[in-house]
Amino acid sequence: MPSKEVPEIVIGRLPIYLRALTYMGQAGQRITSSQELGETLGMSSAQIRKDLSHFGEFGKQGMGYEISYLRDQLRRILHLERTWPVALVGYGDLGHALANYNGFVAESFEIVAVFDNNPDKIGQEVAGKKVQDSAKLSKVVRERGIKVAIVAVPVAAAQKVVDMLVEAGVKAILNYAPIHVSVPAGIRIQYIDPIAHLQRMMFHLE
Amino acid sequence: MPSKEVPEIVIGRLPIYLRALTYMGQAGQRITSSQELGETLGMSSAQIRKDLSHFGEFGKQGMGYEISYLRDQLRRILHLERTWPVALVGYGDLGHALANYNGFVAESFEIVAVFDNNPDKIGQEVAGKKVQDSAKLSKVVRERGIKVAIVAVPVAAAQKVVDMLVEAGVKAILNYAPIHVSVPAGIRIQYIDPIAHLQRMMFHLE
């Protein structure tokens, strides 16, 4: 599989396909097609076929895709056959919502440690875990071999927290702080940025 | 200004430039350059110059950009000189975090109405607003002329809520429900999808 050559934009669509297949499977459906997937997702069937062709042949001509098979293959390609332990840093309102969210585990992620530097928050319990002092972040991340982290701290703390995470061995970061942070080559970072999404839509409004 | 021809990916980067300029301005800086912006944002200076060139000439050769001027221009281009009233639908943990978030107003958005269909939540107060019955959504959105909405409801309710919002006159929707929803032509929708962001990063991890 020539994984090195797959465009990042294609990789970014695989989770979207995976979720659509999951919903179809949960509804009891066994077979789908690139046409149906395209209609479900507002995309062209040609785009879907082209994206999937980067990874092999998943359907038979005129037969469509077997949903459970394609789903398994996408999970394998994305390394989601295991559950990834996740560190959550920042236990404000957003951190609280993320720590309480029960949708992660079915999608191969489990928040196993929550950190904050506010003494009032340290020791609070959420979803069966105690909020820990951020001073213990490096130690816990190292000891548990955590490779994935979610950052939900204020802007002023974001770069420092990201530096600590990377230093402790984290390889993939989902950053909710509304600021660009630097990471070394080979470390993955994605941003969740509701204001940027709202603002770009206003371009089209009067 | 040939706004119709600007690629959507360029429009999507304008809020990122705007925020970087805001932080520079807050730090007391008056002048920047495409080189400095590029370093701050992990992009090439050529990309930034090319993006901005879609909208006019904002800097002088060898002089860089005046931060407050470029910021004002980007706010004008994105229609952010006004404050957009926003309806928030769904008052779970995430809706609570969004309703309490004080970062929207400075960026031209104000959540003015919060809706939920859970009788236990209706009437609760958050950030000076009472959570209202979702049954009143259409009426309130119409009366207040709300054009922007944030959807933070469960998957099963998302399409119905979006349909109601569009019917009531909403033109731009930020959807946190992890499912693709259909909107008519001319209606803008953006997705916030932490699991998709996490999953795509796992492709690169072992």
Side-chain angles (χ1 to χ4, degrees):
Chain A
M1 188 183 9
S3 66
K4 290 283 183 292
E5 297 157 29
V6 180
E8 191 59 30
I9 195 164
V10 173
I11 297 163
R13 284 193 287 259
L14 299 185
I16 311 299
Y17 301 153
L18 178 58
R19 180 149 51 212
L21 293 165
T22 300
Y23 289 141
M24 287 173 173
Q26 285 170 352
Q29 193 175 335
R30 283 191 49 242
I31 304 284
T32 188
S33 62
S34 53
Q35 285 77 14
E36 187 185 41
L37 270 172
E39 283 163 26
T40 303
L41 296 172
M43 298 171 56
S44 78
S45 58
Q47 178 76 73
I48 292 171
R49 286 195 302 273
K50 190 174 169 213
D51 284 356
L52 294 178
S53 72
H54 285 281
F55 305 97
E57 275 291 336
F58 300 112
K60 291 181 192 128
Q61 191 67 36
M63 294 287 285
Y65 303 111
E66 197 189 339
I67 289 170
S68 68
Y69 176 75
L70 181 53
R71 188 166 173 275
D72 287 349
Q73 294 305 307
L74 289 177
R75 291 180 63 85
R76 180 182 57 73
I77 291 163
L78 288 167
H79 304 136
L80 302 176
E81 289 163 317
R82 50 171 291 188
T83 295
W84 294 89
V86 177
L88 169 64
V89 192
Y91 190 64
D93 281 327
L94 176 63
H96 178 82
L98 289 164
N100 260 335
Y101 180 55
N102 60 15
F104 284 120
V105 172
E107 305 304 334
S108 305
F109 300 95
E110 183 182 0
I111 294 175
V112 297
V114 181
F115 299 93
D116 203 287
N117 64 359
N118 180 338
D120 295 341
K121 291 179 179 167
I122 296 165
Q124 283 188 28
E125 208 167 302
V126 56
K129 294 166 290 289
K130 279 216 163 69
V131 177
Q132 302 182 72
D133 189 336
S134 298
K136 295 184 186 155
L137 193 154
S138 299
K139 184 166 179 287
V140 173
V141 166
R142 261 183 238 279
E143 282 179 0
R144 302 195 65 156
I146 294 172
K147 301 294 176 208
V148 184
I150 302 177
V151 173
V153 302
V155 162
Q159 183 67 60
K160 191 184 156 200
V161 164
V162 165
D163 291 346
M164 284 171 63
L165 289 165
V166 170
E167 173 71 22
V170 163
K171 303 291 185 202
I173 294 168
L174 186 64
N175 178 32
Y176 280 84
I179 189 168
H180 179 86
V181 291
S182 302
V183 291
I187 306 296
R188 302 284 157 179
I189 186 158
Q190 293 270 313
Y191 293 82
I192 299 274
D193 195 338
I195 286 173
H197 283 292
L198 286 168
Q199 288 184 335
R200 67 182 288 177
M201 291 193 284
M202 296 310 103
F203 176 82
H204 302 283
L205 266 63
E206 283 313 309
Chain B
M1 189 181 13
S3 66
K4 291 285 184 290
E5 299 157 27
V6 181
E8 192 57 31
I9 196 165
V10 174
I11 297 162
R13 285 194 287 260
L14 299 185
I16 311 300
Y17 301 154
L18 178 57
R19 181 150 50 213
L21 294 165
T22 300
Y23 289 142
M24 287 174 174
Q26 285 170 354
Q29 193 175 336
R30 284 189 52 241
I31 305 284
T32 187
S33 62
S34 54
Q35 286 76 15
E36 186 185 41
L37 270 172
E39 283 163 25
T40 303
L41 296 172
M43 298 172 56
S44 78
S45 58
Q47 179 75 75
I48 293 172
R49 285 194 302 272
K50 191 174 168 212
D51 284 358
L52 294 178
S53 73
H54 285 282
F55 304 97
E57 276 291 336
F58 300 113
K60 291 182 192 127
Q61 189 68 36
M63 293 288 283
Y65 302 110
E66 196 188 341
I67 290 171
S68 67
Y69 176 74
L70 181 53
R71 188 167 174 272
D72 287 349
Q73 294 305 308
L74 289 177
R75 291 181 64 84
R76 180 182 58 74
I77 291 163
L78 288 166
H79 303 136
L80 302 176
E81 289 163 315
R82 47 171 292 187
T83 295
W84 294 90
V86 177
L88 168 65
V89 192
Y91 190 63
D93 280 327
L94 176 63
H96 178 82
L98 289 165
N100 261 333
Y101 180 54
N102 60 15
F104 284 119
V105 172
E107 306 303 334
S108 305
F109 299 95
E110 183 181 1
I111 294 175
V112 297
V114 181
F115 299 93
D116 203 287
N117 63 1
N118 180 337
D120 295 339
K121 290 180 180 167
I122 296 164
Q124 284 188 26
E125 209 168 301
V126 55
K129 293 167 289 288
K130 278 214 162 73
V131 177
Q132 302 182 73
D133 189 336
S134 297
K136 294 183 186 157
L137 192 154
S138 299
K139 185 167 177 286
V140 173
V141 166
R142 260 183 239 279
E143 282 179 0
R144 303 195 63 158
I146 294 172
K147 301 295 176 207
V148 184
I150 301 177
V151 173
V153 302
V155 162
Q159 184 68 59
K160 191 184 156 201
V161 164
V162 165
D163 291 346
M164 284 171 64
L165 288 166
V166 170
E167 173 71 22
V170 164
K171 302 293 184 200
I173 294 167
L174 186 63
N175 178 32
Y176 280 84
I179 190 168
H180 179 87
V181 291
S182 301
V183 291
I187 306 296
R188 304 282 156 178
I189 187 159
Q190 293 271 313
Y191 293 81
I192 299 275
D193 194 338
I195 285 172
H197 283 292
L198 285 168
Q199 289 183 335
R200 67 181 289 178
M201 290 193 285
M202 295 310 103
F203 176 82
H204 301 284
L205 268 62
E206 284 314 307

